[in-house]
Every structure is written in structure tokens, then in C-alpha cells.
Amino acid sequence: MKKQDLSRRSFLKFGVAGLVAVPVAGLGWTTTAAAAERLDPESAEAQALQYVHDSEVDGQNCLNCLLYNDPSQEEWGPCAVFPGKVVAADGWCTAWVARG
């Protein structure tokens, strides 16, 4: 019977450790996203949407685009159109949509 109690105890310890690990793992994912690679304007995906680092269209840039996922990022940030990459907040592409 003692061996069974030890098993339950171990199970509970691992369960609690797992619950603690979930939020900690999330911190690692956030760091990874923040360190994403910058979009190269010469890449095929960028050229397909005429992406540029510096917008030449008055009043339109990535920072005020609905597809720019994190407006608090005022230099480089994630864009829904280019997953896994970050774009310049001052950039622009043909997928630009006004942030409402």
C-alpha cells in the first residue's frame, strides 16, 4: 500500500509542476516571437505585396494597419500577412487596412 501512496504523491507533484510550467513556457514563446526575423523587402512574399520599410503613402503605414498585430511595437512588429516575420512600423504593403 505504501508503494501506491508514493505513486499518487509522485503523480500529484508532477501534476503541480506541469501546471506551473505552462505559464513559464508561455514566456519562452513570447521571447521567441519578439526575436522573429525582419521581413526582407527583396523576398518573394514581400515583393508580391509591394512591401517597403518606409511608406510613401500619406497616412498609411504598418503601425496604423489593422493587420499589424501589436501596435505597442513602435519600431518592428508582427503582421498577420507575414507570419513568423516582423515588419517596420513605418512600412507599407498593398494589404494595408485602416485600423478602426
Side-chain angles (χ1 to χ4, degrees), residues 7-95:
S7 253
R8 284 188 197 141
R9 196 171 295 135
S10 294
F11 174 76
L12 289 174
K13 283 181 183 177
F14 286 121
V16 169
L19 289 174
V20 169
V22 170
V24 171
L27 292 174
W29 295 325
T30 302
T31 304
T32 303
E37 182 180 339
R38 291 180 177 184
L39 179 63
D40 178 5
E42 300 300 316
S43 69
E45 58 189 336
Q47 288 187 349
L49 293 173
Q50 300 172 6
Y51 170 81
V52 292
H53 285 322
D54 293 308
S55 176
E56 295 179 3
V57 181
D58 286 339
Q60 294 183 9
N61 59 41
C62 293
L63 188 58
N64 65 20
C65 177
L66 183 64
L67 302 170
Y68 193 75
N69 294 335
D70 188 357
S72 70
Q73 299 295 320
E74 296 182 359
E75 290 186 31
W76 293 87
C79 175
V81 176
F82 303 108
K85 306 281 185 180
V86 292
V87 296
D90 292 331
W92 181 87
C93 78
T94 57

